[in-house]
Amino acid sequence: MSILAKADGRPAGAGVLLPRRHLLTCAHVVNSALGKDMLAPDHPGPIAVSVRLHGPEHTVEAHAELAVWIPPRTDDGGLGAFEWNGDLAVLRLNGALPPAIEPPSWHPMAKRQLVRAWHGSGEPGVFADAEVSACDGRFGYFDGAERALDIEPAYSGGPLWSNDEDAVVGLVTAKLRIQGTPRRAWGIPWQRVTRELDDAGAGHLLPRQPAEDLSDHPAYAELVALLDGPLPLSEGWIRCCRTVARQCGLGHRADGVPSAEEFAQLLLTRGRALPALVEAVRGTAGPVADDLLAIGRRCGLPKLLSPGEHERLLAQLRALPEAAAAGVPGAVRAALPLAALPAALLTGGDGHGGLGDGHDGPGGGHDGPGGGHHSPERDVGGDGRGGRFEALIAHVEGLHGDSSPADDGAAPAVPGLLRAVEFVAAGCCPTEQRAALRRWNAAVARRLGVHDAALMDRRHDAEQWARNASRGAAPRVVARLDRCEPSPGGTPVAAREEEPERYRLRLWCDDGDGLRQVSDDSERPRGAQEVAQEIFAAVGALRRPDPSGPRPVIELIVDRDALEVPVDRWKAAGPGAVLPIRLGTPYPLVVNCPELRELNGGTMLDQWRERWARLEAEEPVHIDDATAPDPEAVCGLLMERLTARVTVDVAAHRRTGVVQMCLAAGVPVVLWDRSGEQGSPAVRHAAGAGTRQLPEAVRTYRTKTLQRPGDYPGRPVLAWADAGRALPRLDLVDPTE
């Protein structure tokens, strides 16, 4: 089956026929047919595309409307550099098909299967043979046979057919163009197709597979005994059964009553069926609901939410204003500081809280889904943001509860997801949405049998955190500073050396409602004085509802070679200036270097977030020539525990290397003295300050340097990388730069 491009009618990719006049393909194939960025996550709307179906005797041209959209999710946790989740679309044909054109059967993908893929043109001779070299149920990699055609762009979305199984085992997704793997591609196995469509409420569109024998499952016998016992054949029970079927996207018999064995099979094969049943029976058969929950906990059934609960939570998060949505990752981290939360779920996949793509995005370095695409902008529109929220919910709902609220331990623990939702409500939501989210949380807690007092404890924790966070989040100006290239070759070397440094500057303000860009003409070179003047002007433009609150912070985004540029000493002194103020004295000034955190493929980003979460819990580490005489010793100190604060006081020739090691290891707060004087008085001065008070302590030291330079000779530099505050995206012309 061919999916045709709107622009020229050429094949944009392929697809597979499903029952009841439905077609399955990759979402990026639909994007390509519409002329959009292939991995664009936003829903295309009520669109139709032209398709061509190739039967044994007829070729049928038709239109197909978009029925199900599961966007590519490049920001899910646990992904490799060349993988993404989601990326499925179901289309519905607008007319009947000839009887000879029937949907194929399906079978799970497995390693060593020999598979065949067809080009989107549908030409019978244009096929590629390959062998599945790896399959983990989420992704299947396959290598082309030596004398076979290579899998190219228009194969995307098409079936991977196994002759041995006499069935389709997955969909072609992307070709990898990496040295050493010239004929490797990957696809979506049937196992993941079923999970993705089930979670989207579209599992009923798939062909029915032979029922898996689950009689040996540890929960099967318990469920059959429970469902065959005290539940009467009443109208209420019939309504419960129908409700579960409807929520799971399934049909049901006319009497609405499955056998106990059938229902147990459903509860074990549909991830959200058991929560849906608990939700349906909670009001009329509370003990049965408790027994069902106990079986699910004992046997590790993974889903916490029913389909309806999941849909309502996702809708509420998607409806948050942009600034509120940006605070969700920080709220989840605060609620669950010890949980292992994949970095991509919390940042949108860019590795540093929203700073733009200065490297290849997902799919970078290969030809993505059928050709060299650019990585899409993530966080664009509601559906892109919703994709990340969906992945975050899926991860957090599998976490254990934090405690049992009853003294006797009989009541269930409060799930981590409910605690996280309380923190999101308290710290991110406007009043009306906060109330709606708390109502959702209370309803889920009742369904789970969680005691009201336990939920109120979590709400109290969340409100306390939100109060502290609101007091501690100072308004800030974020400035991206880039050195300009030196003058071209016509200028003599001596003259070039005397030229003052010139910089490109971009400015954003963040006064509690999210980042907004305030600079114009960012490519124009500026001198130090002009940079200082523009930054001061941006600070003056900040909205400060509480003048008695903390001073605004100036946060400089620099690369690794500009960490010690003496920006704090730049004067905003123009012609006729009366008060030549230095940039680092009226306001705290810190530096942030995302470049170093992203070294080694960003492997230390999770450590950075964990370290920040322990900002007040871990003791600071002091590094000097005695405690760390060589790089190995420095590394040992940094890796001994999740230290969040390091002071560096080493010989001048070692200082740059040690500082950069600390930042590359993910240490969020690093203080050093660029004056080169060992036994730094600036470092000693700040040693007694609490970590969160360090920016102000350094500012105070700088003011004393102006008053009594002989007594305060240090030149402190404070690197500060708050994992809970977003950085601006930097829009690059070429994402591969």
Side-chain angles (χ1 to χ4, degrees):
M1 184 260 286
S2 308
I3 309 290
L4 307 179
K6 276 186 174 291
D8 55 14
R10 294 166 64 92
V16 189
L17 186 63
L18 295 177
R20 298 179 293 281
R21 305 203 323 250
H22 286 89
L23 311 172
L24 177 68
T25 186
C26 288
H28 79 255
V29 172
V30 175
N31 277 335
S32 182
L34 298 174
K36 301 176 62 176
D37 186 306
M38 290 192 207
L39 293 187
D42 49 308
H43 195 290
I47 56 92
V49 295
S50 298
V51 298
R52 185 179 296 140
L53 294 101
H54 309 276
E57 301 175 358
H58 301 91
T59 296
V60 177
E61 300 258 354
H63 289 284
E65 298 176 349
L66 183 60
V68 178
W69 179 253
I70 304 175
R73 300 193 301 273
T74 57
D75 47 11
D76 281 5
L79 298 179
F82 311 118
E83 300 170 335
W84 53 87
N85 282 321
D87 199 10
L88 293 170
V90 178
L91 307 169
R92 190 176 190 280
L93 292 166
N94 60 0
L97 292 173
I101 300 181
E102 295 182 348
S105 57
W106 292 77
H107 191 276
M109 183 184 290
K111 189 175 179 180
R112 297 191 182 88
Q113 284 173 339
L114 300 178
V115 294
R116 173 167 290 185
W118 280 268
H119 188 269
S121 65
E123 295 292 336
V126 189
F127 58 82
D129 289 330
E131 180 179 358
V132 177
S133 52
C135 180
D136 63 0
R138 289 198 305 160
F139 303 98
Y141 281 87
F142 36 94
D143 296 330
E146 184 177 347
R147 298 174 63 87
L149 292 176
D150 201 5
I151 290 176
E152 291 295 343
Y155 286 77
S156 288
L160 287 162
W161 175 264
S162 166
N163 265 335
D164 291 340
E165 309 293 353
D166 195 29
V168 176
V169 297
L171 301 183
V172 179
T173 307
K175 168 72 181 293
L176 273 69
R177 296 195 186 279
I178 304 173
Q179 187 174 5
T181 58
R183 305 176 70 81
R184 177 164 294 170
W186 67 268
I188 303 174
W190 170 242
Q191 298 94 302
R192 177 150 74 87
V193 170
T194 59
R195 287 197 300 272
E196 297 272 10
L197 266 67
D198 279 344
D199 288 346
H204 60 287
L205 301 177
L206 296 171
R208 296 193 178 277
Q209 300 297 106
E212 182 183 356
D213 183 9
L214 295 172
S215 57
D216 292 334
H217 192 286
Y220 181 80
E222 285 189 86
L223 287 171
V224 170
L226 179 63
L227 298 170
D228 207 19
L231 296 172
L233 292 177
S234 64
E235 282 296 319
W237 176 238
I238 292 173
R239 283 195 298 273
C240 288
C241 295
R242 288 175 174 170
T243 298
V244 173
R246 184 178 65 254
Q247 284 213 44
C248 294
L250 300 171
H252 54 80
R253 294 202 304 262
D255 61 9
V257 183
S259 68
E261 290 78 10
E262 287 176 312
F263 217 153
Q265 187 92 4
L266 172 67
L267 298 179
L268 294 175
T269 54
R270 297 277 177 158
R272 300 195 184 279
L274 189 142
L277 179 58
V278 173
E279 186 178 35
V281 304
R282 170 59 74 186
T284 56
V288 174
D290 292 336
D291 289 343
L292 286 167
L293 288 169
I295 293 171
R297 285 193 293 269
R298 279 199 304 275
C299 300
L301 300 184
K303 299 299 184 183
L304 178 74
L305 303 180
S306 72
E309 291 167 342
H310 180 268
E311 183 179 341
R312 289 189 290 275
L313 176 58
L314 191 57
Q316 292 199 43
L317 293 177
R318 282 174 166 161
L320 288 176
E322 186 173 347
V328 169
V332 174
R333 275 195 298 269
L336 307 168
L338 302 182
L341 299 173
L345 298 183
L346 301 176
T347 66
D350 55 21
H352 40 75
L355 192 64
D357 293 334
H359 58 278
D360 288 352
H366 71 109
D367 274 359
H373 67 83
H374 288 172
S375 298
E377 283 292 323
R378 298 180 283 278
D379 294 336
V380 177
D383 285 281
R385 193 167 69 195
R388 188 164 82 244
F389 285 150
E390 189 167 1
L392 186 58
I393 293 169
H395 184 86
V396 175
E397 72 175 326
L399 300 178
H400 294 296
D402 54 357
S403 67
S404 180
D407 292 338
D408 59 4
V414 181
L417 178 65
L418 270 60
R419 179 177 172 86
V421 167
E422 287 295 340
F423 275 65
V424 171
C428 304
C429 295
T431 303
E432 186 175 335
Q433 286 165 304
R434 181 184 307 127
L437 205 53
R438 284 174 170 171
R439 285 195 297 271
W440 178 92
N441 224 23
V444 175
R446 283 194 297 273
R447 197 262 298 169
L448 295 173
V450 171
H451 198 282
D452 288 345
L455 190 63
M456 290 303 103
D457 284 345
R458 286 16 175 224
R459 185 166 299 173
H460 173 77
D461 293 344
E463 289 172 343
Q464 183 66 41
W465 165 78
R467 283 193 295 270
N468 292 339
S470 65
R471 286 197 297 266
R476 61 178 177 152
V477 168
V478 179
R480 172 73 200 199
L481 200 64
D482 294 294
R483 277 193 175 107
C484 295
E485 293 296 325
S487 302
T491 306
V493 173
R496 289 204 302 272
E497 289 175 351
E498 294 175 1
E499 284 184 2
E501 289 274 10
R502 309 287 285 175
Y503 300 88
R504 290 188 297 274
L505 178 69
R506 274 174 280 189
L507 291 170
W508 294 261
C509 285
D510 181 1
D511 36 30
D513 294 328
L515 289 159
R516 67 182 192 281
Q517 187 164 354
V518 296
S519 60
D520 296 320
D521 194 16
S522 60
E523 295 302 309
R524 177 173 58 82
R526 298 156 168 81
Q529 288 188 358
E530 192 174 1
V531 167
Q533 288 168 351
E534 291 191 36
I535 291 176
F536 277 135
V539 174
L542 282 167
R543 295 189 298 272
R544 296 181 63 189
D546 182 8
S548 64
R551 294 173 186 258
V553 174
I554 299 168
E555 183 173 352
L556 293 177
I557 309 301
V558 296
D559 60 32
R560 63 195 299 182
D561 296 326
L563 280 166
E564 296 199 6
V565 172
V567 181
D568 57 285
R569 300 184 64 79
W570 290 356
K571 300 176 184 177
V578 177
L579 198 62
I581 305 173
R582 296 182 188 271
L583 196 54
T585 52
Y587 307 107
L589 184 148
V590 299
V591 296
N592 195 339
C593 186
E595 176 192 0
L596 285 167
R597 291 197 295 276
E598 293 172 0
L599 294 179
N600 304 315
T603 54
M604 304 306 290
L605 289 172
D606 278 339
Q607 284 233 354
W608 166 50
R609 290 178 176 81
E610 289 183 46
R611 290 176 189 272
W612 180 264
R614 297 168 184 260
L615 193 64
E616 307 289 357
E618 293 286 347
E619 288 294 319
V621 165
H622 179 73
I623 297 178
D624 56 27
D625 290 321
T627 58
D630 53 44
E632 286 75 15
V634 173
C635 188
L637 277 174
L638 295 175
M639 297 303 160
E640 184 177 2
R641 60 182 190 269
L642 288 171
T643 301
R645 171 180 169 180
V646 171
T647 51
V648 177
D649 190 5
V650 298
H653 71 278
R654 298 185 60 210
R655 186 177 67 245
T656 298
V658 172
V659 166
Q660 293 195 9
M661 285 181 69
C662 293
L663 297 177
V667 178
V669 179
V670 183
L671 175 68
W672 71 97
D673 189 336
R674 68 167 180 272
S675 70
E677 183 179 343
Q678 285 190 269
S680 165
V683 170
R684 286 201 310 272
H685 174 85
T691 302
R692 292 191 183 276
Q693 284 69 52
L694 267 182
E696 177 61 20
V698 171
R699 185 200 71 81
T700 302
Y701 186 93
R702 289 170 178 154
T703 63
K704 294 181 182 299
T705 298
L706 292 181
Q707 300 167 31
R708 301 194 301 278
D711 296 333
Y712 296 91
R715 299 291 183 266
V717 184
L718 178 62
W720 185 273
D722 186 337
R725 301 195 78 171
L727 292 180
R729 297 192 67 86
L730 299 181
D731 300 318
L732 302 180
V733 174
D734 181 357
T736 63
E737 287 180 356

